[in-house]
Amino acid sequence: MDEVMSGSEVKEFVERLTLGITRVLESFPGVTDVRFVERGPAERHTLQTWEQRNSCVLPEDLKDFYLTMDGFQLSWSSKLDSEPVPLGSMVINSVLKLQPLCQSSVYSLPSSPTLADLDYEDDGQECQPAKPHFDSRSRVFELDPCNGSGRVCLVYTNAKPGAVAEQCEVWFLDRALYWHFLAASFTAYYRLMITHLGLPEWQYRFTPYGPSPQAKQWACLYRPLISHGNPLTDQGEPLLNKLDPNRAFRGKTKQPLPKKKPPAQTGGGTQKTSTGTGSVRHAAARK
């Protein structure tokens, strides 16, 4: 009989799975409607069926993730003029939705172009990994549809017909069908997704042209609250840039001016005015 977790245990499990990001988001000003969809684990035979059908071996970290939860979905909104606006979205498709990225041929004409026709040879840089292909040289599966702004994909490169593919990476396919490298493993991508809070078009930060101006504005509002280095500690807690006004603004605090001796008075009760700041203040007072 399966053990049923209590409400507190479920909350603790969700915080561990999301690396505490739900609690962090709820503490942000203006953030509302933080929703995390709880899902049960995938069956082991479902993963084995997927591997046999696609001739690919799932990486161990992704396999462990699916055995913990069959897919991931977390969304949050931001208040704009007292109205919630859907903003953040973090998605990892379930095993059944981890489908090959290919164009359906049901309604296409025999002579219509396919994704393979749009493929190109990568001139490439030596320090950059080889880009995926739309033909049989790569096997591509969709992890996140990115709300129509592109697709995050699990890519098996150097695939050979009839052979089982094992090595995979995570890439981003933009709307112009260009590839951009994101992470060498699923775990690295998962941490990357959590770090960027699921903000709109955050994947475009890894492209030469970057996100849209509107997406940059949202990122400037929420992204600086997370450190730019490693966002997680060994315990999985996010490192927040906690602002201490007493320390951060110490350099801007006005220091008390040393007391000056009163100026010597001359005969007739007239008082000499010092040059510089004092004369400016007296001039402003007369005006």
Side-chain angles (χ1 to χ4, degrees):
M1 182 176 180
D2 295 337
E3 183 180 356
V4 179
M5 293 188 296
S6 63
S8 59
E9 290 175 338
V10 170
K11 185 176 181 180
E12 182 181 357
F13 168 74
V14 170
E15 285 196 359
R16 288 202 311 268
L17 185 66
T18 61
L19 304 180
I21 199 63
T22 53
R23 176 166 45 85
V24 173
L25 285 170
E26 290 172 351
S27 66
F28 285 175
V31 172
T32 182
D33 199 18
V34 180
R35 295 186 180 184
F36 176 74
V37 179
E38 298 182 14
R39 296 177 179 176
E43 298 291 340
R44 190 174 294 274
H45 68 82
T46 303
L47 302 179
Q48 295 174 351
T49 302
W50 186 94
E51 291 178 331
Q52 294 174 359
R53 182 174 63 250
N54 296 286
S55 297
C56 295
V57 177
L58 287 172
E60 290 299 324
D61 53 357
L62 180 56
K63 190 179 298 184
D64 292 339
F65 172 82
Y66 279 132
L67 292 175
T68 304
M69 179 170 290
D70 190 11
F72 183 95
Q73 185 175 352
L74 190 152
S75 61
W76 55 277
S77 303
S78 179
K79 286 186 178 179
L80 186 63
D81 294 334
S82 301
E83 293 292 333
V85 177
L87 188 62
S89 177
M90 310 179 205
V91 175
I92 295 175
N93 284 336
S94 62
V95 178
L96 294 179
K97 291 185 178 181
L98 193 62
Q99 298 294 332
L101 183 68
C102 60
Q103 184 178 10
S104 176
S105 59
V106 177
Y107 301 104
S108 61
L109 298 175
S111 58
S112 61
T114 62
L115 288 177
D117 296 325
L118 302 177
D119 209 346
Y120 61 95
E121 293 296 334
D122 182 21
D123 296 335
Q125 301 176 359
E126 294 183 358
C127 59
Q128 296 292 332
K131 292 186 178 181
H133 297 276
F134 294 115
D135 54 19
S136 58
R137 288 174 290 180
S138 301
R139 296 172 190 171
V140 183
F141 305 91
E142 181 183 298
L143 280 174
D144 182 3
C146 302
N147 291 326
S149 63
R151 298 176 189 272
V152 174
C153 300
L154 185 71
V155 179
Y156 290 82
T157 56
N158 297 326
K160 298 179 180 179
V164 177
E166 297 183 1
Q167 300 297 327
C168 62
E169 300 165 335
V170 181
W171 287 74
F172 175 63
L173 181 65
D174 65 16
R175 284 171 291 193
L177 300 181
Y178 284 99
W179 290 103
H180 309 278
F181 179 77
L182 290 180
S185 66
F186 172 77
T187 300
Y189 167 73
Y190 185 82
R191 293 166 64 92
L192 203 63
M193 177 184 67
I194 296 294
T195 302
H196 288 84
L197 309 177
L199 285 165
E201 302 180 12
W202 69 264
Q203 298 88 353
Y204 280 87
R205 291 191 58 197
F206 298 87
T207 67
Y209 27 88
S212 64
Q214 184 179 6
K216 288 181 180 179
Q217 291 179 352
W218 286 117
C220 289
L221 183 61
Y222 290 107
R223 185 66 177 83
L225 297 177
I226 302 295
S227 63
H228 293 284
N230 187 356
L232 303 172
T233 63
D234 294 337
Q235 289 77 23
E237 293 292 336
L239 289 174
L240 296 183
N241 185 10
K242 296 182 178 180
L243 180 64
D244 185 355
N246 295 327
R247 295 184 178 181
F249 303 133
R250 180 175 296 178
K252 297 295 183 180
T253 304
K254 293 182 178 180
Q255 301 293 336
L257 297 175
K259 294 184 179 179
K260 297 181 178 180
K261 294 181 179 180
Q265 296 183 356
T266 60
T270 58
Q271 181 177 351
K272 294 182 179 180
T273 58
S274 60
T275 59
T277 306
S279 61
V280 174
R281 290 179 178 173
H282 283 290
R286 286 197 298 270
K287 291 182 180 180

